[in-house]
Amino acid sequence: MDVVGPLERGLAVLRVMSAPGGHRMRPSELARATGLARSTVDRVVATLVHLGHLREIDREVELAPPLMEPGNAYLAGCGIPDALGPVAERLADEFDESVSVAAPDGDGVRFVTQITRRRTMSLAFRIGDLLPAERCAPGPIFAAEWDEAARAAWRARRASPERFPEHFPAVPARPAVEAEEFDRRVAHAAADGWAADDQLIEPGLIAVAVPVRGPSGHTACAVSVVSHTSRHTVASLAEATLPRLREEASAMEAALARVLAERASGGPGAAAGAGAGAGADPARTAKRELGPEFLQSLARGLTVLCALDGTRSLSEVAESTGLARATARRALLTLEHLGYVEHAGRDFRPLPRVLELGYAHLSSLGFAEIVQPHMADLVRRTHESASMAVLDGDDIRYVARVPAYKIMSVDITVGTRLPAYATSMGRVLLAGLPHTQRAARLAGAGPRPITGRTVTDPVELAKIVEGAAEQGHAFVDEELEEGLRSLAVPVRDGAGQVVAALNVATHAARGPVEETLAALLPPLTETASRIEADLRAVTRGRRLRLP
Ligand code: PHB
């Protein structure tokens, strides 16, 4: 078939960077690992950087959260995290054990939801990680529905054990499980409707799984409870959890059917047409800007993948991406050829393998790792120190900081607390609270003068906070410390809730207030929007753990 070469090569680069330790590489290393010409790698990288999927740091390139868009579209479309996430949370609380949900992916098992219990000894797979079917609890359940082709693929993969690490980078290599042993587990799963993992991945790690069927009657995913031999044997774990797992599996099947029906009818649960701007083809403008360095067909292929939030016809994809039907079709067929998309009649749908593209690494990034590169960029642009803080009682607490290299700079570290009323970050954070809470916090804080300029009158402070809410930023001029000015903007999560504040601090000697504001506000606002976009990508369907 006529595959779209640049798309194929772009995905090859992303796959190499998705392997353990690959999330940050030099272009020369990428050329070596992919076997592509250096000039090709440079064009692929330039294109992916322009799209925001990669970012350049020094001489290296790094996976960036916007690359989660295709995976987020798959997850939204399959309905599993939305339908099963809340039940999985409840079960994890009830059992006080980790609970995971995995979907069948070829002869592997791909994690789509993880509710982890923090334990000293815990092996937590990440969303997007792939396990071999014969080495985990959900595997036999999925294998019970394999057809002859799938069995043959499994046998072929096992015939070359040296390629195991390449197929399953998340799993420690151990001697292969006997085929007869797996057959026995598959027969048991088919007969009894559950399966176990008795330390097949890692000594001590055990799991029990049950299937959850989709509306078609086929197994859509499996829910596992994961424990450790220090707490349970497989028998005691099964006894403790199976009755409840089975009960909840029916509830999960109903929830999944409901979510998928909503998606199909375009109702309240309909996915948002992730990422792709309806009607516009952004690759066209980028091509004009970047010229030959920009691989239009790679950009278009990724736009198509981001638009596949569930089962979509070719016409729907063409319409939502603004691409010509022939272009969209070629991208879809290339994606199908590479195993990311499946197609039946006129309908295309994304496969769990989409999560292979950086999802496991990016979904496990912490707050500081997400915000840090953006703050470093802000410091480079403004030559001032940047900080992020959250509201903690009447105080703000610093959660990230990038100092500017200056002889005289403000000496604050992560963890520092300052009174919210006297700081620009505090004021935008207070402005993010509901009206009723704002006044109470301001009065409760007992504002006192810190410098001769500190505003302490609760009524006046309430007005200032109101102003910050209206303007979307707060400016504090020498109220916290003589000579110190600071400008802050809010950072919101996907639901529009203010979760943190971002600021730059500067010296009063820098110049007139108006000039300082004019110079600092645009880069500050822009940085906050980039951080918000990354947070949205990383937290889709999950709660962000703020530091
Ligand atoms: C996990 O969620 O970490 C997990 C699930 C099933 C297994 C092993 C681990 O068999």
Side-chain angles (χ1 to χ4, degrees):
M1 77 150 262
D2 164 30
V3 298
V4 179
L7 177 55
E8 189 172 31
R9 293 189 276 276
L11 292 169
V13 163
L14 289 174
R15 268 199 307 279
V16 162
M17 294 191 68
S18 303
H23 65 272
R24 198 165 167 171
M25 291 175 91
R26 284 169 183 269
S28 56
E29 293 174 303
L30 270 173
R32 216 171 312 125
T34 54
L36 295 171
R38 175 61 197 263
S39 57
T40 307
V41 167
D42 287 344
R43 262 179 284 148
V44 164
V45 165
T47 305
L48 294 171
V49 166
H50 182 86
L51 296 173
H53 295 323
L54 296 182
R55 92 182 128 223
E56 281 170 312
I57 294 187
D58 302 324
R59 295 228 194 84
E60 299 179 312
V61 281
E62 180 176 78
L63 299 178
L67 176 60
M68 295 176 82
E69 270 179 37
N72 283 338
Y74 157 74
L75 289 173
C78 79
I80 296 171
D82 292 338
L84 274 56
V87 189
E89 290 260 7
R90 215 177 332 119
L91 287 172
D93 281 343
E94 195 178 315
F95 302 141
D96 194 22
E97 299 284 1
S98 299
V99 170
S100 61
V101 183
D105 182 350
D107 67 352
V109 170
R110 181 91 59 187
F111 286 106
V112 292
T113 300
Q114 278 284 26
I115 317 293
T116 46
R117 286 282 162 274
R118 293 205 168 273
R119 291 252 156 75
T120 332
M121 257 187 307
S122 71
L123 179 147
F125 289 105
R126 305 161 302 177
I127 298 173
D129 276 335
L130 184 73
L131 307 186
E134 69 277 14
R135 291 264 296 273
C136 61
I141 293 171
F142 299 156
E145 288 181 10
W146 283 353
D147 57 17
E148 205 28 63
R151 288 199 161 275
W154 181 70
R155 279 193 298 268
R157 189 253 296 161
R158 283 171 45 88
S160 44
E162 73 287 354
R163 294 190 57 197
F164 187 91
E166 166 197 335
H167 289 296
F168 305 105
V171 187
R174 293 179 66 195
V177 176
E178 295 298 327
E180 295 72 35
E181 168 62 17
F182 186 53
D183 288 341
R184 263 196 299 281
R185 292 173 63 221
V186 174
H188 169 269
D192 296 356
W194 67 283
D197 160 9
D198 195 352
Q199 310 180 68
L200 291 168
I201 290 185
E202 179 99 339
L205 181 78
I206 56 174
V208 163
V210 297
V212 174
R213 279 170 226 294
S216 68
H218 290 294
T219 300
C221 57
V223 181
S224 306
V225 183
V226 188
S227 187
H228 191 268
T229 46
S230 59
R231 297 190 290 282
H232 274 297
T233 60
V234 163
S236 76
L237 183 64
E239 193 187 350
T241 62
L242 263 185
R244 286 288 295 127
L245 273 177
R246 288 188 152 136
E247 232 169 77
E248 291 291 352
S250 323
M252 291 192 241
E253 284 171 1
L256 185 56
R258 197 167 52 239
V259 164
L260 290 174
E262 277 168 12
R263 297 270 193 282
S265 69
D281 172 12
R284 200 185 298 258
T285 22
K287 183 80 192 167
R288 236 178 281 134
E289 287 166 24
L290 289 185
E293 283 300 287
F294 189 76
L295 301 171
Q296 211 166 10
S297 54
L298 167 57
R300 287 173 167 166
L302 289 171
T303 302
V304 163
L305 203 53
C306 292
L308 270 193
D309 52 352
T311 304
R312 297 276 173 256
S313 69
L314 172 60
S315 315
E316 283 174 312
V317 172
E319 194 181 330
S320 70
T321 56
L323 296 175
R325 274 174 70 96
T327 309
R329 183 167 178 280
R330 248 179 291 124
L332 283 165
L333 293 179
T334 300
L335 291 166
E336 180 181 35
H337 173 72
L338 298 172
Y340 296 107
V341 164
E342 183 178 71
H343 134 242
R346 296 187 322 174
D347 289 334
F348 294 84
R349 77 181 179 99
L351 292 172
R353 186 162 185 209
V354 169
L355 297 174
E356 169 188 79
L357 304 172
Y359 208 90
H361 169 73
L362 293 166
S363 68
S364 58
L365 290 181
F367 184 82
E369 293 164 298
I370 298 168
V371 302
Q372 221 275 342
H374 296 289
M375 290 172 61
D377 193 46
L378 179 62
V379 170
R380 259 192 303 276
R381 290 167 67 188
T382 59
H383 310 287
E384 303 288 2
S385 301
S387 303
M388 270 186 108
V390 295
L391 203 55
D392 192 346
D394 297 332
D395 291 337
I396 60 164
R397 181 164 45 82
Y398 281 72
V399 293
R401 183 164 163 83
V402 176
Y405 294 99
K406 290 196 167 181
I407 295 171
M408 227 174 37
S409 69
V410 185
D411 184 25
I412 285 174
T413 53
V414 167
T416 299
R417 301 170 75 100
L418 292 172
Y421 65 86
T423 56
S424 62
M425 288 198 280
R427 289 175 183 177
V428 295
L429 288 166
L430 290 168
L433 294 176
H435 270 92
T436 46
Q437 287 183 33
R438 278 185 210 162
R441 292 261 187 140
L442 282 170
R448 56 186 182 80
I450 303 169
T451 69
R453 303 178 69 144
T454 315
V455 177
T456 55
D457 173 28
V459 176
E460 200 180 330
L461 278 172
K463 273 199 206 123
I464 289 173
V465 168
E466 184 67 33
E470 275 163 22
Q471 296 175 347
H473 67 263
F475 182 69
V476 165
D477 191 6
E478 302 189 79
E479 288 184 57
L480 183 68
E481 193 176 306
E482 317 284 349
L484 177 72
R485 281 181 180 157
S486 119
L487 177 64
V489 295
V491 174
R492 296 170 196 276
D493 66 10
Q497 198 69 39
V498 174
V499 290
L502 174 70
N503 92 333
V504 279
T506 179
H507 202 273
R510 180 175 163 138
V513 169
E514 297 70 37
E515 277 175 29
T516 303
L517 275 175
L520 297 182
L521 193 54
L524 189 62
T525 313
E526 213 178 290
T527 305
S529 335
R530 291 204 188 131
I531 289 174
E532 286 172 348
D534 279 9
L535 290 176
R536 269 198 305 278
V538 176
T539 59
R540 196 242 147 235
R542 281 182 299 277
R543 240 181 281 139
L544 179 70
R545 249 173 275 144
L546 281 168

